[in-house]
Amino acid sequence: MQRSGAVRVLVLGGEWAWRDEVCRAAQACGAVVVSHDPDVLLLPVRGSEEERLREVRRVIAENPERPVIVVGAREEAREPMLLLGEGIYDCLPWPAEAPRFSHALRRAAEWRKLAVENRTLKHGVQERRPPRLGLMVGSSPAMMDLYRVIVQLAPTSASVLILGDEGAGKELVARTIHDRSERVGAFVSARCRRGGDADFARELFGDDARPGLIEDSHKGTLFLDDVDALGPRGQAQLLRVIEERAVRRGGLSRPVDLRLVTATSTDLNAESDEGRFREDLLFRLQVVTLQVPPLSARREDLPALIEHFTQHYAMILGRPAPSLSPEARDALVRHPWPGNLRQLAQTLERAVLLARGDMIVRDDVERALAPRANVSSAEPWRTLAEIEREYIDRVLLHTNGNKTRAAEVLGIDRRTLSRLFARERVEGAASH
């Protein structure tokens, strides 16, 4: 009898004895070996590089919708890259360590499930929720490729450099990587600042009085956006943390276990060539590089994104999600969105605020896209900080003032929530 939730695998090719060995190893990992309709294909390969690549290409061509894991891959740097370039899901040496084999099977099966769900949606079967990976929405080829890589790398400890235009969703990618990892610590996010190298260094590395963001990220993930803005001192300190796996503070070396994810919209290789970014640090940051596509490269995702943001901001504002008139939806789909996801999200937030009744009409969209100065004083804009605080207050009300539980609901750690309140007190005092 098949175990509930077990990964279904089919082993293709290979010598009989080796194929049987692979089958037994898969079963030892909890998988079920089947003869048809598998979740994952296992492909033992031997022979010359040319023979191995030819076999991989054949299997990929015959099974375009199923993840293929090659077993018996040579550990040289060249072959895994060649095989991944052919479109396989993963490649393993043989014999493979049981935890690594089990993990590869599980993640490949998750990827298969995601692909099936998205294909079903495209074929017209109604699905209430837009296609997504975590909070990432979209089923365009560019996003499906990104999902595949995220699912594959998230469980590892590799440092990740995320590239993409401003507003493309780089932090969302970083958060998804953390959420799909097995790290038990918090996801801590910070944006590097130009000009304030010393101030940001204290915030990042801490000082004698208090720990910084690096220690807050212990056993979790630290996301540094705009990493190109780090000054020389910050770059040197960050490199030392990576190499020593510790942060020096108060005369002591304090061990830290964190995963570092960084992001930039700048060409760091060019910055390194010009001497503005350390080459040795860049080498450590870009163990894996992800490219987040701009909205212009995934326009087929716009309908799902429009639905997602409309519902999201209606929930935050505590009102029913409005529908969109055909004219409003057409205006949103046709807009070029040079500001990417950030601009789309802000526009739909404004449209939800401006909507009269239970429908967003084209006029609401046009006013939401207009400069802030063009909005009448009867409909004042609220700042993002004000909306953020309102949402936090609503969550605290829901949790009866329990800040630890509120931080869990908000998807941030307890210290980050405390920092938000501390910053608000400082800004409030400064304004009086």
Side-chain angles (χ1 to χ4, degrees):
M1 179 180 294
Q2 179 175 332
R3 293 179 293 277
S4 175
V7 178
R8 296 162 54 89
V9 302
L10 173 61
V11 182
L12 299 175
E15 301 169 0
W16 182 88
W18 189 18
R19 187 166 63 246
D20 188 54
E21 183 183 344
V22 173
C23 288
R24 290 197 306 271
Q27 290 170 328
C29 291
V32 174
V33 178
V34 298
S35 58
H36 68 282
D37 193 28
D39 300 313
V40 182
L41 297 175
L42 296 176
L43 177 62
V45 292
R46 282 182 177 163
S48 67
E49 181 180 283
E50 182 179 349
E51 291 170 331
R52 296 151 79 90
L53 286 175
R54 185 165 57 244
E55 180 67 2
V56 166
R57 288 167 184 151
R58 181 187 66 78
V59 171
I60 291 291
E62 294 175 357
N63 302 274
E65 296 184 349
R66 282 187 170 84
V68 177
I69 297 178
V70 168
V71 294
R74 292 167 180 155
E75 286 288 75
E76 294 91 344
R78 171 182 168 83
E79 178 156 277
M81 295 306 296
L82 285 174
L83 294 175
L84 291 171
E86 295 295 334
I88 68 163
Y89 180 80
D90 203 351
C91 56
L92 302 173
W94 198 257
E97 296 179 356
R100 181 176 176 184
F101 193 23
S102 177
H103 180 76
L105 289 174
R106 186 173 70 253
R107 294 297 183 181
E110 290 179 2
W111 164 247
R112 162 71 173 162
K113 180 181 178 182
L114 181 68
V116 169
E117 289 176 351
N118 286 332
R119 186 185 70 236
T120 301
L121 182 71
K122 289 180 178 179
H123 285 177
V125 177
Q126 288 190 347
E127 175 81 30
R128 289 189 176 184
R129 197 177 74 170
R132 65 180 68 202
L133 178 67
L135 295 177
M136 297 174 63
V137 175
S139 58
S140 61
M143 292 303 292
M144 293 299 288
D145 287 344
L146 186 57
Y147 293 167
R148 180 179 68 84
V149 179
I150 289 173
V151 168
Q152 186 174 354
L153 72 85
T156 73
S157 59
S159 297
V160 181
L161 176 63
I162 303 174
L163 308 177
D165 295 346
E166 287 292 332
K170 297 187 289 294
E171 181 169 352
L172 187 56
V173 171
R175 183 177 291 277
T176 304
I177 291 171
H178 172 76
D179 290 343
R180 296 189 68 84
S181 74
E182 298 176 359
R183 302 195 69 81
V184 297
F187 176 84
V188 179
S189 173
R191 173 166 290 188
C192 303
R193 299 189 297 269
R194 297 187 188 278
D197 198 26
D199 291 338
F200 183 71
R202 281 192 294 272
E203 181 179 349
L204 184 59
F205 302 100
D207 55 27
D208 291 347
R210 64 182 187 276
L213 298 176
I214 287 177
E215 288 177 82
D216 288 349
S217 309
H218 183 57
K219 295 189 180 299
T221 301
L222 175 62
F223 172 63
L224 295 179
D225 200 0
D226 293 338
V227 69
D228 55 289
L230 269 182
R233 181 186 175 204
Q235 292 179 35
Q237 287 180 286
L238 183 59
L239 178 62
R240 186 167 61 193
V241 169
I242 295 171
E243 292 178 337
E244 297 179 358
R245 296 184 178 274
V247 61
R248 298 180 185 179
R249 184 175 62 82
L252 298 174
S253 179
R254 304 171 188 269
V256 289
D257 170 16
L258 61 83
R259 183 188 202 159
L260 187 60
V261 180
T262 53
T264 181
S265 55
T266 300
D267 184 347
L268 285 185
N269 287 298
E271 292 291 295
S272 177
D273 291 343
E274 295 293 328
R276 291 188 291 269
F277 201 89
R278 295 180 63 125
E279 184 179 20
D280 47 2
L281 177 58
L282 177 57
F283 176 76
R284 295 302 191 100
L285 298 182
Q286 59 179 5
V287 175
V288 178
T289 301
L290 291 182
Q291 182 74 48
V292 182
L295 206 47
S296 60
R298 46 180 295 220
R299 295 193 66 84
E300 58 265 56
D301 289 333
L302 275 168
L305 288 165
I306 290 167
E307 176 186 347
H308 167 73
F309 285 126
T310 301
Q311 294 178 353
H312 174 74
Y313 286 113
M315 179 191 70
I316 287 179
L317 296 168
R319 60 182 65 174
S323 58
L324 285 93
S325 72
E327 296 79 13
R329 191 176 297 275
D330 182 67
L332 289 166
V333 169
R334 290 179 178 273
H335 192 75
W337 302 113
N340 293 297
L341 281 182
R342 184 181 299 145
Q343 184 189 12
L344 176 65
Q346 291 173 347
T347 298
L348 282 164
E349 179 188 6
R350 296 168 187 166
V352 171
L353 281 166
L354 295 170
R356 300 176 178 86
D358 58 358
M359 179 175 286
I360 295 174
V361 298
R362 186 184 185 97
D363 184 54
D364 298 326
V365 172
E366 291 176 347
R367 286 191 295 160
L369 284 167
R372 180 170 176 168
N374 291 344
V375 181
S376 71
S377 58
E379 295 164 335
W381 290 113
R382 292 186 300 156
T383 66
L384 287 175
E386 290 170 337
I387 294 173
E388 177 187 76
R389 181 53 202 259
E390 178 184 327
Y391 186 45
I392 291 173
D393 287 341
R394 289 183 60 214
V395 172
L396 282 168
L397 182 64
H398 173 72
T399 61
N400 296 317
N402 186 322
K403 291 184 179 180
T404 300
R405 176 61 186 141
E408 293 175 358
V409 173
L410 292 164
I412 59 179
D413 67 288
R414 178 70 164 75
R415 286 184 177 178
T416 299
L417 184 60
S418 298
R419 278 197 176 95
L420 290 173
F421 285 118
R423 183 184 66 189
E424 187 176 83
R425 287 195 297 269
V426 171
E427 291 174 350
S431 63
H432 289 85

